Amino acid sequence: MITIALYNLKGGVGKTTTSVNMAFLAAQAKRNTVLWDCDPQAAASWFLGADGQQKKAIKLFNKGAPIGSLEVKSPYSRLTLIPADLSLRNVEAEFEGKQRARKFFSKIVEPLSENTSILIFDCPPTLSPSTEYILASVDLVLVPIIPSPMSVRAATQVVDFFAKKKSAPEKIVGFFNMVDLRRKLHNETLSTAKKLPLQMLKTFIPMDSAAEAMSHRREPLVSYSSNGRAAHAYRRMWKEIIRIVNAQKRNK
């Protein structure tokens, strides 16, 4: 099973949009895919029409509910979802005092590996212990970055934080999102990508008016704007991510 987490310390960078589109593309590639919404705001759950289907996501942690019992079907073949809700705002309390909390989290995830090819986490924009456990356990942490100083700074803070940790993510890779090549600042930031303290994908996701319709349509962008600029970029990015993860697993 390949595990990928979408994360940035800064909100509003397109983390959930990317999570939903990557999960959709993975399923389209005939891989059994689970999108785990770990954000109490439950935006990924809402995009896939699963809001309200699971009112107590926290019971996975405080009552030991089988993870499979929390999965719900999405409207798309091979794509299921573990929905979020506001109960997850209390998840940190469930980890307090637990011995080997990281091992506890890994045990929760383990049953998914039997039938799942791709597991994607949509993480909240916080650096809490539970988020840290997720990021340290996945094959790849994918960091969306808007080409602006504040977004770049947030990504740098993530890299610096884990540089001091014994249990760090296996691989952190960034990509530029919502890129507007008409803007001088965006062009300048893209030109300095090699100076950033993390590997950057070659693919960037351009600003696309069709993306704004996602919240209205509650569908992955790639499903309704398959020939749009952003959709083509998402497909290229998906292929690039899989190449990176496969190479990583071969080199273990």
Side-chain angles (χ1 to χ4, degrees), residues 45-195:
S45 304
W46 189 82
F47 274 130
L48 292 178
D51 53 316
Q53 291 195 41
Q54 175 55 54
K55 296 182 180 179
K56 290 289 182 183
I58 193 69
K59 70 182 182 181
L60 180 64
F61 303 97
N62 63 20
K63 293 184 180 179
I67 192 167
S69 69
L70 302 184
E71 280 186 82
V72 299
K73 291 183 178 180
S74 80
Y76 310 103
S77 176
R78 294 183 181 268
L79 174 58
T80 59
L81 176 77
I82 300 175
D85 60 80
L86 284 174
S87 70
L88 287 179
R89 69 190 186 281
N90 298 316
V91 71
E92 303 312 321
E94 300 303 324
F95 282 90
E96 283 183 12
K98 273 193 170 64
Q99 296 295 319
R100 300 182 179 179
R102 187 171 284 103
K103 186 176 181 180
F104 166 73
F105 184 82
S106 298
K107 189 175 180 180
I108 291 174
V109 174
E110 188 177 359
L112 288 177
S113 62
E114 295 180 12
N115 299 305
T116 303
S117 176
I118 307 287
L119 172 58
I120 297 176
F121 294 91
D122 184 26
C123 298
T126 62
L127 203 46
S128 60
S130 62
T131 301
E132 186 181 338
Y133 300 147
I134 294 171
L135 300 183
S137 68
V138 299
D139 297 313
L140 178 68
V141 176
L142 195 58
V143 182
I145 304 170
I146 295 174
S148 67
M150 289 300 293
S151 187
V152 169
R153 178 176 177 269
T156 301
Q157 287 176 315
V158 172
V159 174
D160 291 345
F161 174 82
F162 281 109
K164 301 169 185 175
K165 291 283 185 177
K166 290 183 180 179
S167 297
E170 193 166 337
K171 195 172 188 65
I172 303 177
V173 175
F175 71 96
F176 287 118
N177 198 23
M178 304 183 199
V179 176
D180 186 348
L181 294 178
R182 296 169 299 179
R183 299 184 61 182
K184 182 180 179 181
L185 177 61
H186 284 205
N187 281 284
E188 289 176 347
T189 306
L190 262 65
S191 69
T192 59
K194 291 183 179 180
K195 296 180 181 180

Side-chain angles (χ1 to χ4, degrees), residues 202-219:
K202 294 178 182 178
T203 308
F204 66 80
I205 307 300
M207 186 70 75
D208 189 338
S209 59
E212 297 175 4
M214 266 190 72
S215 58
H216 173 68
R217 299 178 64 116
R218 298 177 69 177
E219 300 175 45

